[in-house]
Amino acid sequence: MVQQDDATDAVRSAITSGRTTLGIELGSTRIKACLIGPDHVPVATGSHAWENDLVDGVWTYSLDDVWSGLQASVASLLADAEQRYGVRPSALAGLGISAMMHGYMAFDADDELLVPFRTWRNTSTGRAAGELTELLGFNVPLRWSVAHYYQAVLDHEEHVPQVAFLTTLAGYVHWRLTGRKVLGVGDASGMFPIDPATHDYDAGMLAQFDELVSPRRPGLRLRDLLPDVLVAGQDAGTLSEEGAALLDPTGTLRPGVPVCPPEGDAGTGMVATNSVAPRTGNVSAGTSIFAMVVLEKPLRRVHHELDVVTTPAGDLVAMVHCNNGASELDAWAGLLGELLAATGNPTEPDDVFRALFRAALEGDADGGGLLAYNYLAGEPITGLDEGRPLVVRTPGSRLTLANFARTQIYGVFGTLALGMRVLAAEGVTIDAMFAHGGMFRTEGVAQRLLAAATGAPVAVGRTAGDGGAWGIAVLAAYAAARTDQDLGTYLAERVFADAELEVVEPDAADEAGFAAYLERYAAGLAVERAATQAL
């Protein structure tokens, strides 16, 4: 039922006058839409659940699922706005698209997809990534678009001679909505290394790549296959009539909306947590989990555990990306929910999560001797091409609900913490870590344990659950504002000036407990490796 008060009237006026901004993010398990008002506060949301499929050994999403999911998410948001305010958004001040970074989408000259979308989760590019890292003197992770393309070249895949355009999922959706083949610099930095001086692909490295593939692909210029690079705030086109119909077949959304440069989920996470300035960082927890730390200066050497990417404004960022995040934790929560239902006590999933997370605070600081590996897929940081989810314990361990719950949360942070050790050894200083994602909706639990895992204060804001969809909506508002302010100043002065943040300092007992857990975790990787060979 529509409420009647001054605040509701103000939002209704903003919606009807076209002063709201829409952000949509295609995450690993949900497509989220977030509508924000002129004050950047979320006023309506929508979502649609989806899952990747393993098809012929490749993790993928079909293009039909992309568009049906986007339409369902937008329809959910429009319905939410109508329920709250009695109106549906029609005209918008701005629009932004974000999605999972990296991966491989290859199109021919007729704009047809040549092979199924290969997501960031695929780890079949080991030879390509290794050769490119050695050639360029720059870490090229398995999931980067250039690694996928070069691996296809090495494997003599039939589609390679037909490739006319490469992009990411966000770049693809933006292209279909606007007709523009462009990419935000943060997302582009997961396709090919970026030169921080030019905010474009590194020209010298492009030349090295072209020379490398010339025996197999004579005359190739990789730059001709890549989308143009834009920084936050630049013109990235407008929503076309065809694009509006793709998002909303009912015709409610009108074309002509300015659309900001499409970004990856890492970039929107930085925006959503106000961590685009040096010495700030953020952690995004979903199907994957990654930490982003904005650098004061380049790293001293190449580390396979660290990606070097950029903020949406083009500043260098060290990224610790783990393929495996909270999916295994979700699976265990689902199992416990089934158990409750079987006892005649059906419980909403959110309530199961809250109970499980709160129990974790009662567990032993080191998890009671239990270990949890969340490896549904391979994990490059620990050198595993495949994964096997495991719960491991010794006969003397203390198997309680509290220890089990704490260990499952520790398991989400385990590989991330190994990567963060490398950053610490580089002398990178972090003043604060900002966290977002569904894990942080239960107040004070994952946040407290992440502080123990990173050894840094962890801040969570009230938009933590909205995450990247809110972040890309803010980037769309920044582009629509056409301001001379740089992105960091805009966020600090216009978006986060009055933000409500809950900051948790590392607890000494938790830190010591997690350190003990991590030592066992690192040693126990031998069990994980054995499992991948045996099962």
Side-chain angles (χ1 to χ4, degrees):
M1 182 174 178
V2 179
Q3 299 177 354
Q4 300 295 328
D5 55 41
D6 291 342
T8 301
D9 288 343
V11 173
R12 185 184 298 113
S13 174
I15 292 173
T16 56
S17 61
R19 292 182 291 117
T20 56
T21 307
L22 175 61
I24 305 173
E25 181 160 279
L26 295 95
S28 301
T29 59
R30 301 193 75 79
I31 301 174
K32 295 182 179 180
C34 181
L35 190 73
I36 64 173
D39 57 359
H40 306 94
V41 173
V43 297
T45 59
S47 68
H48 170 76
W50 72 338
E51 286 288 348
N52 52 192
D53 296 312
L54 188 62
V55 179
D56 298 327
V58 174
W59 290 106
T60 187
Y61 300 84
S62 74
L63 296 191
D64 286 344
D65 286 348
V66 168
W67 294 110
S68 64
L70 281 166
Q71 290 170 6
S73 182
V74 169
S76 174
L77 178 138
L78 295 177
D80 184 46
E82 184 172 38
Q83 181 179 15
R84 294 189 190 197
Y85 313 107
V87 293
R88 289 183 172 235
S90 180
L92 298 169
L95 169 67
I97 299 295
S98 172
M100 300 166 273
M101 286 182 71
H102 317 120
Y104 183 70
M105 298 191 81
F107 296 86
D108 65 16
D110 295 322
D111 295 337
E112 295 295 327
L113 187 69
L114 290 166
V115 291
F117 167 39
R118 298 171 183 177
T119 77
W120 55 269
R121 200 170 190 177
N122 293 286
T123 55
S124 58
T125 59
R127 179 184 170 190
E131 289 188 13
L132 291 174
T133 296
E134 182 176 357
L135 172 74
L136 304 177
F138 189 99
N139 183 37
V140 176
L142 301 178
R143 64 191 174 278
W144 277 26
S145 304
V146 67
H148 280 281
Y149 176 66
Y150 184 45
Q151 190 66 53
V153 171
L154 292 175
D155 292 341
H156 304 286
E157 293 195 36
E158 291 183 4
H159 77 278
V160 169
Q162 303 173 60
V163 174
F165 179 53
L166 299 171
T167 192
T168 66
L169 181 57
Y172 163 70
V173 173
H174 181 95
W175 166 35
R176 291 293 308 277
L177 296 181
T178 67
R180 295 279 301 276
K181 293 181 177 179
V182 299
L183 207 57
V185 63
D187 204 7
S189 68
M191 294 197 77
F192 194 85
I194 294 292
D195 181 345
T198 64
H199 296 161
D200 202 348
Y201 306 112
D202 188 290
M205 293 185 187
L206 283 170
Q208 288 177 286
F209 181 89
D210 292 347
E211 183 178 354
L212 174 68
V213 300
S214 60
R216 297 178 177 89
R217 299 291 301 141
L220 174 77
R221 292 185 70 253
L222 179 63
R223 182 64 186 85
D224 293 341
L225 307 184
L226 300 175
D228 292 334
V229 182
L230 301 175
V231 298
Q234 287 189 295
D235 175 25
T238 59
L239 183 65
S240 66
E241 289 189 12
E242 179 188 24
L246 280 171
L247 279 183
D248 175 31
T250 70
T252 301
L253 289 182
R254 297 176 190 166
V257 179
V259 187
C260 71
E263 266 299 348
D265 49 2
T268 57
M270 284 185 274
V271 171
T273 53
N274 192 24
S275 49
V276 299
R279 298 170 66 102
T280 63
N282 78 87
V283 171
S284 175
T287 301
S288 63
I289 182 170
F290 52 82
M292 311 283 291
V293 179
V294 185
L295 299 174
E296 296 179 281
K297 57 185 179 181
L299 298 175
R300 292 191 298 267
R301 63 185 185 88
V302 175
H303 302 276
H304 83 273
E305 301 92 344
L306 304 177
D307 301 15
V308 177
V309 291
T310 78
T311 70
D315 297 315
L316 289 181
V317 174
M319 180 181 191
V320 181
H321 185 285
C322 309
N323 276 0
N324 299 282
S327 293
E328 183 66 1
L329 176 63
D330 289 349
W332 279 108
L335 178 69
L336 295 174
E338 289 184 32
L339 177 62
L340 287 168
T343 64
N345 297 284
T347 306
E348 290 296 319
D350 281 352
D351 294 330
V352 174
F353 269 103
R354 277 191 289 269
L356 189 63
F357 273 49
R358 287 169 182 160
L361 295 182
E362 305 300 321
D364 296 328
D366 68 346
L370 279 66
L371 284 174
Y373 294 97
N374 60 340
Y375 289 8
L376 287 160
E379 194 57 80
I381 287 180
T382 50
L384 289 163
D385 293 331
E386 297 182 49
R388 300 292 184 272
L390 295 175
V391 174
V392 182
R393 69 187 187 95
T394 61
S397 60
R398 295 170 295 282
L399 181 58
T400 65
L401 176 63
N403 282 340
F404 177 81
R406 180 175 282 240
T407 300
Q408 285 295 325
I409 297 173
Y410 276 177
V412 177
F413 299 146
T415 308
L416 183 79
L418 294 176
M420 295 296 288
R421 280 181 171 181
V422 180
L423 269 181
E426 272 271 359
V428 175
T429 302
I430 307 171
D431 292 334
M433 293 292 287
F434 298 83
H436 74 116
M439 278 188 71
F440 301 99
R441 286 185 299 173
T442 302
E443 186 176 345
V445 181
Q447 181 182 9
R448 171 178 152 182
L449 300 185
L450 179 60
T454 60
V458 174
V460 173
R462 58 191 174 88
T463 58
D466 295 312
W470 181 70
I472 191 64
V474 170
L475 282 173
Y478 174 65
R482 302 186 182 279
T483 175
D484 291 332
Q485 288 181 311
D486 63 78
L487 179 61
T489 302
Y490 181 89
L491 293 178
E493 295 184 359
R494 300 202 196 184
V495 182
F496 288 95
D498 300 316
E500 299 174 10
L501 292 176
E502 180 69 29
V503 181
V504 171
E505 299 283 341
D507 176 82
D510 285 340
E511 278 193 279
F514 185 84
Y517 172 86
L518 194 61
E519 291 302 317
R520 290 199 312 273
Y521 183 90
L525 285 168
V527 180
E528 178 70 26
R529 291 189 182 93
T532 64
Q533 296 168 8
L535 300 173

